[in-house]
Coordinates of all heavy atoms in Angstrom, one line a residue:
V214 N 0.8 -1.2 0.0 CA 0.0 0.0 0.0 C 0.9 1.3 0.0 O 0.5 2.3 0.6 CB -1.0 0.0 1.2 CG1 -2.1 -1.0 1.0 CG2 -0.2 -0.2 2.5
I215 N 2.0 1.2 -0.7 CA 2.9 2.4 -0.7 C 2.2 3.6 -1.3 O 2.3 4.7 -0.8 CB 4.2 2.1 -1.5 CG1 5.0 1.0 -0.8 CG2 5.0 3.3 -1.7 CD1 5.5 1.3 0.6
D216 N 1.4 3.4 -2.4 CA 0.7 4.5 -3.0 C -0.3 5.1 -2.0 O -0.4 6.4 -2.0 CB 0.0 4.0 -4.3 CG 0.9 3.7 -5.4 OD1 2.1 4.1 -5.4 OD2 0.5 3.0 -6.4
E217 N -1.0 4.3 -1.3 CA -2.0 4.8 -0.3 C -1.3 5.5 0.8 O -1.8 6.6 1.3 CB -2.8 3.6 0.3 CG -3.8 3.0 -0.7 CD -3.3 1.9 -1.6 OE1 -2.0 1.8 -1.7 OE2 -4.0 1.2 -2.2
I218 N -0.1 5.1 1.2 CA 0.6 5.7 2.3 C 1.1 7.1 1.8 O 1.0 8.1 2.5 CB 1.8 4.9 2.7 CG1 1.4 3.6 3.5 CG2 2.8 5.7 3.5 CD1 2.4 2.6 3.8
I219 N 1.6 7.2 0.6 CA 2.1 8.5 0.0 C 0.9 9.5 0.0 O 1.0 10.6 0.3 CB 2.7 8.3 -1.4 CG1 4.1 7.5 -1.2 CG2 2.9 9.6 -2.1 CD1 4.7 7.1 -2.5
A220 N -0.3 9.0 -0.5 CA -1.4 9.8 -0.5 C -1.9 10.3 0.9 O -2.3 11.5 1.0 CB -2.6 9.1 -1.2
F221 N -1.8 9.4 1.9 CA -2.1 9.8 3.2 C -1.2 10.9 3.8 O -1.6 11.8 4.4 CB -2.1 8.5 4.1 CG -3.0 8.6 5.3 CD1 -4.2 8.0 5.3 CD2 -2.5 9.2 6.5 CE1 -5.0 8.0 6.4 CE2 -3.3 9.3 7.6 CZ -4.6 8.7 7.6
V222 N 0.1 10.7 3.5 CA 1.1 11.7 4.0 C 0.9 13.0 3.3 O 0.9 14.1 3.9 CB 2.5 11.2 3.7 CG1 3.6 12.3 4.0 CG2 2.9 9.9 4.5
Q223 N 0.5 13.0 2.0 CA 0.3 14.2 1.3 C -0.9 15.0 1.9 O -0.9 16.2 2.0 CB 0.0 13.9 -0.2 CG -0.1 15.2 -1.1 CD 1.2 16.0 -1.1 OE1 2.3 15.6 -1.4 NE2 1.1 17.3 -0.6
K224 N -1.9 14.2 2.3 CA -3.1 14.8 2.9 C -2.8 15.5 4.2 O -3.3 16.6 4.5 CB -4.2 13.7 3.1 CG -5.6 14.3 3.5 CD -6.4 14.7 2.3 CE -7.8 15.1 2.7 NZ -8.6 14.0 3.1
I225 N -1.9 14.9 5.0 CA -1.5 15.5 6.2 C -0.7 16.8 6.0 O -0.9 17.8 6.7 CB -0.6 14.5 7.0 CG1 -1.4 13.3 7.5 CG2 0.2 15.1 8.2 CD1 -0.6 12.2 8.1
L226 N 0.2 16.8 4.9 CA 0.9 18.0 4.6 C -0.1 19.1 4.1 O 0.0 20.2 4.5 CB 1.9 17.7 3.5 CG 3.2 17.0 3.9 CD1 4.0 16.5 2.7 CD2 4.1 17.9 4.8
D227 N -1.0 18.7 3.3 CA -2.0 19.6 2.7 C -2.8 20.3 3.8 O -3.2 21.5 3.7 CB -3.0 18.9 1.7 CG -2.3 18.5 0.5 OD1 -1.1 19.0 0.2 OD2 -2.8 17.7 -0.3
N228 N -3.1 19.5 4.9 CA -3.9 20.0 6.0 C -3.1 20.8 7.1 O -3.6 21.2 8.1 CB -4.7 18.9 6.7 CG -5.8 18.3 5.8 OD1 -6.2 19.0 4.8 ND2 -6.2 17.1 6.0
G229 N -1.8 20.9 6.8 CA -1.0 21.8 7.7 C -0.4 21.1 8.9 O 0.1 21.8 9.8
Y230 N -0.4 19.7 8.9 CA 0.1 19.0 10.1 C 1.5 18.4 9.9 O 2.0 17.8 10.8 CB -0.9 17.9 10.5 CG -2.2 18.4 11.1 CD1 -3.3 18.8 10.3 CD2 -2.3 18.4 12.5 CE1 -4.4 19.2 10.9 CE2 -3.5 18.9 13.1 CZ -4.5 19.3 12.3 OH -5.7 19.7 12.9
G231 N 2.1 18.6 8.8 CA 3.4 18.0 8.5 C 4.3 19.0 7.9 O 4.0 20.1 7.5
Y232 N 5.6 18.7 7.9 CA 6.6 19.5 7.2 C 7.8 18.7 6.7 O 7.9 17.5 7.1 CB 7.2 20.6 8.2 CG 7.8 20.0 9.5 CD1 9.2 19.8 9.6 CD2 7.0 19.7 10.6 CE1 9.7 19.2 10.7 CE2 7.6 19.2 11.8 CZ 8.9 18.9 11.8 OH 9.5 18.4 13.0
I233 N 8.5 19.2 5.8 CA 9.6 18.5 5.1 C 10.9 19.0 5.6 O 11.2 20.2 5.7 CB 9.4 18.7 3.6 CG1 8.0 18.2 3.1 CG2 10.5 17.9 2.8 CD1 7.7 18.7 1.7
T234 N 11.8 18.0 5.8 CA 13.2 18.3 6.1 C 14.1 17.6 5.1 O 13.6 16.9 4.2 CB 13.6 17.9 7.5 OG1 13.8 16.4 7.5 CG2 12.5 18.3 8.5
K235 N 15.4 17.8 5.3 CA 16.4 17.1 4.4 C 16.3 15.6 4.5 O 16.7 14.8 3.6 CB 17.8 17.6 4.7 CG 18.3 17.3 6.0 CD 19.7 17.8 6.2 CE 20.3 17.4 7.6 NZ 19.6 18.1 8.7
N236 N 15.8 15.1 5.7 CA 15.7 13.7 6.0 C 14.4 13.0 5.7 O 14.2 11.8 5.8 CB 16.1 13.4 7.4 CG 17.6 13.7 7.7 OD1 18.4 13.4 6.8 ND2 17.9 14.2 8.8
G237 N 13.4 13.8 5.4 CA 12.1 13.2 5.1 C 10.9 14.2 5.5 O 11.0 15.4 5.5
V238 N 9.8 13.5 5.8 CA 8.5 14.3 6.1 C 8.2 13.9 7.6 O 8.2 12.8 8.0 CB 7.4 13.9 5.2 CG1 6.1 14.7 5.6 CG2 7.7 14.0 3.8
Y239 N 7.9 15.0 8.4 CA 7.6 14.8 9.8 C 6.2 15.3 10.1 O 5.7 16.2 9.5 CB 8.7 15.6 10.7 CG 10.0 14.9 10.8 CD1 11.0 15.1 9.9 CD2 10.2 14.0 11.8 CE1 12.2 14.4 10.0 CE2 11.4 13.3 12.0 CZ 12.4 13.5 11.0 OH 13.6 12.9 11.1
F240 N 5.7 14.7 11.2 CA 4.4 15.2 11.7 C 4.7 16.2 12.8 O 5.5 16.0 13.7 CB 3.6 14.0 12.3 CG 2.2 14.4 12.7 CD1 1.1 14.2 11.9 CD2 2.0 15.0 14.0 CE1 -0.1 14.5 12.2 CE2 0.7 15.4 14.3 CZ -0.4 15.2 13.5
D241 N 4.0 17.3 12.7 CA 4.2 18.4 13.7 C 3.2 18.2 14.8 O 2.1 18.6 14.7 CB 4.0 19.8 13.0 CG 4.3 21.0 13.9 OD1 4.4 20.8 15.1 OD2 4.4 22.1 13.3
T242 N 3.8 17.6 15.9 CA 2.9 17.3 17.0 C 2.3 18.5 17.7 O 1.3 18.4 18.4 CB 3.7 16.5 18.1 OG1 4.9 17.1 18.5 CG2 4.0 15.1 17.5
S243 N 2.9 19.7 17.6 CA 2.4 20.9 18.2 C 1.1 21.3 17.6 O 0.3 22.1 18.2 CB 3.4 22.1 18.1 OG 3.5 22.5 16.8
K244 N 0.8 20.8 16.4 CA -0.5 21.2 15.7 C -1.7 20.4 16.2 O -2.8 20.8 15.9 CB -0.3 21.0 14.2 CG 0.8 21.9 13.6 CD 0.4 23.4 13.6 CE 1.4 24.3 12.9 NZ 1.5 24.1 11.5
Y245 N -1.4 19.3 16.9 CA -2.5 18.4 17.3 C -2.6 18.6 18.9 O -1.7 18.1 19.6 CB -2.3 17.0 16.9 CG -3.4 16.1 17.4 CD1 -4.7 16.3 17.0 CD2 -3.2 15.0 18.2 CE1 -5.8 15.5 17.5 CE2 -4.2 14.2 18.7 CZ -5.5 14.4 18.3 OH -6.5 13.6 18.7
V246 N -3.6 19.3 19.3 CA -3.6 19.7 20.7 C -3.8 18.6 21.7 O -3.5 18.7 22.9 CB -4.7 20.8 21.0 CG1 -4.4 22.0 20.2 CG2 -6.1 20.2 20.6
H247 N -4.3 17.5 21.2 CA -4.6 16.3 22.1 C -3.4 15.3 22.1 O -3.5 14.2 22.7 CB -5.9 15.6 21.8 CG -7.1 16.5 21.9 ND1 -7.5 17.0 23.1 CD2 -8.0 16.9 20.9 CE1 -8.6 17.8 22.9 NE2 -8.9 17.7 21.6

């Protein structure tokens, strides 16, 4: 399900919960208050 995973990650980025670094894509935990 690599294609589905990539699409899921892209949705997280599009919704403002992720960011990109030289090493990959990270989830920004400060954006999720719970």
Side-chain angles (χ1 to χ4, degrees):
V214 288
I215 296 298
D216 289 344
E217 288 87 345
I218 289 172
I219 290 172
F221 206 99
V222 173
Q223 186 62 60
K224 190 82 175 287
I225 290 173
L226 283 169
D227 292 344
N228 291 342
Y230 286 86
Y232 58 94
I233 302 168
T234 76
K235 63 180 181 296
N236 290 324
V238 183
Y239 282 88
F240 188 96
D241 187 344
T242 54
S243 69
K244 297 292 182 68
Y245 181 58
V246 296
H247 299 298

